[in-house]
Amino acid sequence: MAKNRILWGILGFALVHGATAAPASLPPADYRYPADDLGAVYTPQATTLKVWAPTADTVAVELFSDPTNAAVATTPMTRDASGIWSLTLPGNQAGNYYLYQLALPQGPGGTPARVEVNDPYAHGTSANSGRTLIYDPALTNPTGWDQDQYVSLPHNVDAVLYEVHVRDFSINPNAGIRERGKYSGMVEAGTKTPQGEASGLDHLAELGITHVHLLPVNDYAGGDERQPAEAYTWYGWGYDPVLYASPEGSYASEADGSVRQREFKQLVQALHQRHIGVVLDVVFNHTAETGGGLFSIFDKVYPGYYYRTDAAGHPANATGCGNEFASERPMARKLVVDTIQYWLREYHVDGFRFDLMGILDRATMLEVYRAAKRINPNAILYGEGWDMEQVLPRQMMMTQANLRGTGVAAFNDGIRDNIKGDAGNGPARGFVQGGGAPYGGLARFWLNLKGQGTGRGDRNIPVASPNETINYDSVHDDLCLWDKLQVSAPDAPESTRIRMDKLAAGIVLTAQGVPFLQGGDEFLRSKQLVSNSYNNNDPRVNPFDWSLKAAHRDVFDYYRGLIALRKSHPAFRLTSRAAVDQAMVFATNAPEKVVAYVLRNHANGDSWRNILVIYNGSGAARNMAVSGEWQVVANGERAGVEELETAKDHLPVEPFSLIVAHTEGDGHF
Ligand code: CA
């Protein structure tokens, strides 16, 4: 961290002249700045800086020629009537850094203060969120960037999402990757595991997923970006955001300068060249710090404005992270919308996952949706719609209950819990471990499989279409799937737990809705039963162990086959509630702990006339009576689009397994 930041921090001393300065006239609470030029606007001829700080008595720009040395100039900015301070620095400023120096009659601690702070709209920074970088964005474009295209899938349900942390993916030496732990390592081509399996980028292409969903890659507070990646003394998921519009520096080969911008664009470009989209996990619900903290930004620019407080004036903390970003306030909302637009335009990302989206207000998310779709009509937007807010009225918030019909999707904890039991670390069992459908029973589970509802517990929360539900059995939070199966089915032999794993993936990838996989589950990744590994630097916990791919090649092939099946058969990707109701017919006479349904009559234009799906969530072999002759393409062992066997009049289903079969016949049970 920059030395002067520690010296300045928030000193909280009274300004010599502060007491006598005339109070600035504040804009109204609903003030909204209409232009899109906050932060630094660079040209080779001059750079203009603008920051909204309506309560400041004075704002000056400290200009630095590098990340560490003293300021080369400190220049006062000019305030307009609404509190926008601006300054034009003549000449080519690329490569220089700056901080704002504000004199506040009421600083973050409530007393007069002089603070030094990064630009809230910083597009770049020196290492460890030190100083805001001025740079020429065009010079960070890799060759061919102007030809780079979004991954455009018509509907959310066409996506197969794959969640991964940049460092986890490549830091293990057995990834066979040179640039370990880095943006560039994620997209090295031709890498292999010691057993000769494709790793890294080639692995993603082989698996067939459509989008990589990256845990936060915008600048975050934890760790020291200057350590060599293979010798980090720290680890972080990145849910401690500082500068929302700058890429994180620890995943770049150099933390200073504009290396991170270039290398992140190279990552997007390389994934796009393999037809894989990039979804960013964005954490607008809280920031790493508030008040006078080293990594506090907004409270030093306009103390109090950007954070919710309760009726008693205390910081709201429904996030559990110490603060709540007040997205409902116009200039906070603008920052969210501007940031989303910026990543879409500048970095060509394909979508966003909103952390604790239920803490954000609905109006902001609707504006985000409209803005994103104007830039990329196929942008995919989803988030955690948990109902957590304590201060604002819950009908204002972007929760599962309030996003119906918006086109924004929510993680579906209903299907998650019915598949595997709850998300806790205990022995609770769901469908795949023989526990039936513990939350609302099979009738509720059917609604999940139809892509018609989300929500935890017994209560189904309707969605407008399958495009609004993210179906998953595992995510970075809580135990990963393989670890969950170990604690919930401890007496089952490994071969049975593998069947349970495959069945869980099979449900996620055949159900109506948007399938989401936690990276590494496709080869039975384990985090050694650590359920919350957000800062765990044990090399056995978070990093991918690529040797698992050869060890569990059958599981990998199963996931890959299911993905191929889903992608080549639109019947699994119905886009409306009505289409699901018309196409999807459940067997009402299925044996206990068995769900069976047919997708009828070339559903969604499918080349197959009738598709039968059977999930056997019991430890007993079952035999389903069916009419006519069926071609089986998925069973307990293998999955794909090729015919594995033919069945007539009845279909044997092994314990803890699924069947997918199709027929040109009438398709009755
Ligand atoms: Ca950082």
Side-chain angles (χ1 to χ4, degrees):
M1 56 199 74
K3 213 186 300 175
N4 61 310
R5 289 286 304 283
I6 297 171
L7 292 176
W8 275 103
I10 162 64
L11 299 177
F13 56 75
L15 286 171
V16 176
H17 303 294
T20 56
S25 62
L26 279 183
D30 64 352
Y31 171 73
R32 179 174 176 168
Y33 180 63
D36 62 355
D37 59 356
L38 292 177
V41 175
Y42 167 89
T43 72
Q45 290 74 41
T47 296
T48 297
L49 307 179
K50 287 191 182 177
V51 61
W52 186 58
T55 65
D57 287 332
T58 63
V59 184
V61 173
E62 293 179 288
L63 193 67
F64 308 93
S65 60
D66 65 29
T68 49
N69 284 314
V72 294
T74 300
T75 313
M77 304 182 84
T78 308
R79 187 191 196 276
D80 77 3
S82 52
I84 303 282
W85 297 80
S86 59
L87 174 68
T88 296
L89 299 165
N92 191 341
Q93 300 291 339
N96 287 332
Y97 296 87
Y98 67 100
L99 291 169
Y100 293 127
Q101 195 184 91
L102 289 82
L104 296 164
Q106 275 200 305
T111 54
R114 188 178 279 267
V115 299
E116 194 176 49
V117 64
N118 270 301
D119 195 318
Y121 275 76
H123 292 164
T125 170
S126 60
N128 299 334
S129 324
R131 295 170 174 175
T132 302
L133 174 69
I134 303 173
Y135 68 101
D136 183 347
L139 296 182
T140 66
N141 293 346
T143 308
W145 185 244
D146 55 340
Q147 257 89 68
D148 183 68
Q149 301 276 335
Y150 296 116
V151 167
S152 286
L153 302 176
H155 305 285
N156 288 0
V157 293
D158 299 327
V160 179
L161 304 167
Y162 181 93
E163 182 196 45
V164 67
H165 181 277
V166 171
R167 177 177 169 82
D168 294 355
F169 190 65
S170 64
I171 193 64
N172 194 320
N174 72 14
I177 285 171
R178 224 171 29 251
E179 300 291 331
R180 290 164 52 201
K182 301 297 186 183
Y183 297 126
S184 49
M186 177 164 261
V187 291
E188 274 177 40
T191 62
K192 296 261 190 267
T193 73
Q195 295 78 24
E197 299 282 354
S199 65
L201 176 64
D202 288 358
H203 171 80
L204 297 176
E206 185 184 13
L207 183 58
I209 51 103
T210 66
H211 288 73
V212 163
H213 154 151
L214 298 173
L215 265 71
V217 295
N218 67 274
D219 176 59
Y220 62 78
D224 183 350
E225 299 176 353
R226 289 182 165 139
Q227 292 178 352
E230 61 279 4
Y232 276 179
T233 57
W234 63 280
Y235 176 84
W237 275 344
Y239 295 99
D240 47 353
V242 181
L243 300 171
Y244 284 111
S246 170
E248 161 64 14
S250 60
Y251 307 132
S253 60
E254 274 181 64
D256 292 322
S258 56
V259 177
R260 60 180 79 185
Q261 287 79 6
R262 167 178 284 271
E263 290 180 350
F264 186 69
K265 284 179 179 173
Q266 287 170 336
L267 175 149
V268 173
Q269 183 184 44
L271 286 164
H272 281 177
Q273 284 168 352
R274 303 287 185 110
H275 310 291
I276 297 171
V278 178
V279 172
L280 300 190
D281 188 342
V282 284
V283 189
F284 290 112
N285 62 85
H286 74 277
T287 62
E289 281 192 275
T290 58
L294 180 64
F295 292 107
S296 168
I297 304 295
F298 300 100
D299 257 357
K300 292 177 187 164
V301 172
Y302 187 165
Y305 178 86
Y306 289 93
Y307 299 97
R308 289 179 197 144
T309 51
D310 64 18
H314 300 122
N317 188 27
T319 61
C321 300
N323 62 79
E324 281 181 37
F325 194 74
S327 60
E328 70 281 5
R329 296 182 191 161
M331 292 297 279
R333 173 176 298 161
K334 176 177 169 59
L335 181 119
V336 174
V337 175
D338 286 352
T339 302
I340 292 298
Q341 295 185 103
Y342 176 71
W343 283 100
L344 284 163
R345 288 201 177 105
E346 180 64 18
Y347 290 100
H348 304 179
V349 302
D350 303 276
F352 299 90
R353 175 267 189 197
F354 292 83
D355 187 62
L356 300 188
M357 183 170 68
I359 294 290
L360 304 177
D361 69 294
R362 188 172 186 274
T364 293
M365 283 304 301
L366 294 182
E367 197 167 323
V368 161
Y369 183 89
R370 286 191 295 269
K373 294 283 182 172
R374 271 198 299 272
I375 297 168
N376 173 8
N378 299 116
I380 179 167
L381 303 166
Y382 56 98
E384 294 180 308
W386 320 139
D387 183 356
M388 299 167 74
E389 177 60 23
Q390 304 290 319
V391 174
L392 296 179
R394 57 166 35 140
Q395 65 269 20
M396 263 183 73
M397 312 314 292
M398 194 61 170
T399 55
Q400 287 170 329
N402 295 337
L403 60 71
R404 182 182 185 180
T406 63
V408 176
F411 281 94
N412 190 340
D413 44 356
I415 197 168
R416 177 197 70 192
D417 288 357
N418 268 331
I419 289 174
K420 68 168 185 183
D422 65 28
N425 310 335
R429 293 182 175 210
F431 187 85
V432 305
Q433 308 104 312
Y439 302 98
L442 283 179
R444 168 84 197 291
F445 195 34
W446 287 8
L447 291 174
N448 289 151
L449 297 169
K450 292 169 81 174
Q452 296 187 337
T454 64
R456 196 169 180 200
D458 293 348
R459 190 170 67 100
N460 189 65
I461 300 175
V463 292
S465 90
N467 287 310
E468 292 180 350
T469 162
I470 304 291
N471 294 337
Y472 70 114
D473 58 36
S474 171
V475 67
H476 65 272
D477 282 318
D478 309 308
L479 294 174
C480 57
L481 180 60
W482 185 240
D483 287 350
K484 170 71 185 177
L485 293 172
Q486 293 189 64
V487 302
S488 57
D491 301 328
E494 180 173 282
S495 60
T496 299
R497 289 205 297 264
I498 288 175
R499 303 177 78 84
M500 293 170 174
D501 184 285
K502 288 173 162 180
L503 177 57
I507 295 170
V508 167
L509 286 162
T510 52
Q512 304 297 323
V514 185
F516 170 103
L517 304 170
Q518 179 174 199
D521 280 353
E522 71 276 17
F523 46 60
L524 306 185
R525 177 187 189 182
S526 169
K527 293 202 220 171
Q528 318 305 328
L529 306 183
V530 176
S531 65
N532 186 5
S533 61
Y534 77 101
N535 65 353
N536 192 311
N537 199 33
D538 183 332
R540 295 165 302 178
V541 175
N542 283 303
F544 277 36
D545 176 0
W546 287 94
S547 72
L548 292 171
K549 185 174 178 186
H552 299 296
R553 177 74 208 198
D554 59 322
V555 178
F556 172 79
D557 282 336
Y558 199 79
Y559 277 62
R560 183 173 67 127
L562 288 165
I563 292 169
L565 172 66
R566 182 178 181 89
K567 283 165 73 177
S568 53
H569 285 279
F572 299 106
R573 296 181 274 120
L574 300 171
T575 58
S576 75
R577 173 174 280 264
V580 171
D581 283 335
Q582 191 173 23
M584 206 165 171
V585 179
F586 283 80
T588 53
N589 59 345
E592 193 193 2
K593 297 180 182 176
V594 171
V595 170
Y597 59 86
V598 175
L599 295 160
R600 296 183 56 80
N601 288 332
H602 302 286
N604 207 15
D606 206 289
S607 59
W608 290 341
R609 184 175 173 201
N610 292 301
I611 302 173
L612 172 65
V613 180
I614 306 172
Y615 310 128
N616 180 5
S618 79
R622 302 294 191 188
N623 211 352
M624 284 286 291
V626 291
S627 110
E629 188 173 288
W630 295 79
Q631 284 74 51
V632 176
V633 296
N635 56 27
E637 308 302 319
R638 295 167 63 195
V641 294
E642 304 301 329
E643 184 182 326
L644 301 175
E645 56 189 316
T646 300
K648 199 166 186 320
D649 301 328
H650 66 92
L651 259 168
V653 194
E654 295 166 5
F656 304 118
S657 74
L658 66 72
I659 289 282
V660 179
H662 64 95
T663 184
E664 291 308 298
D666 289 341
H668 296 304
F669 290 108

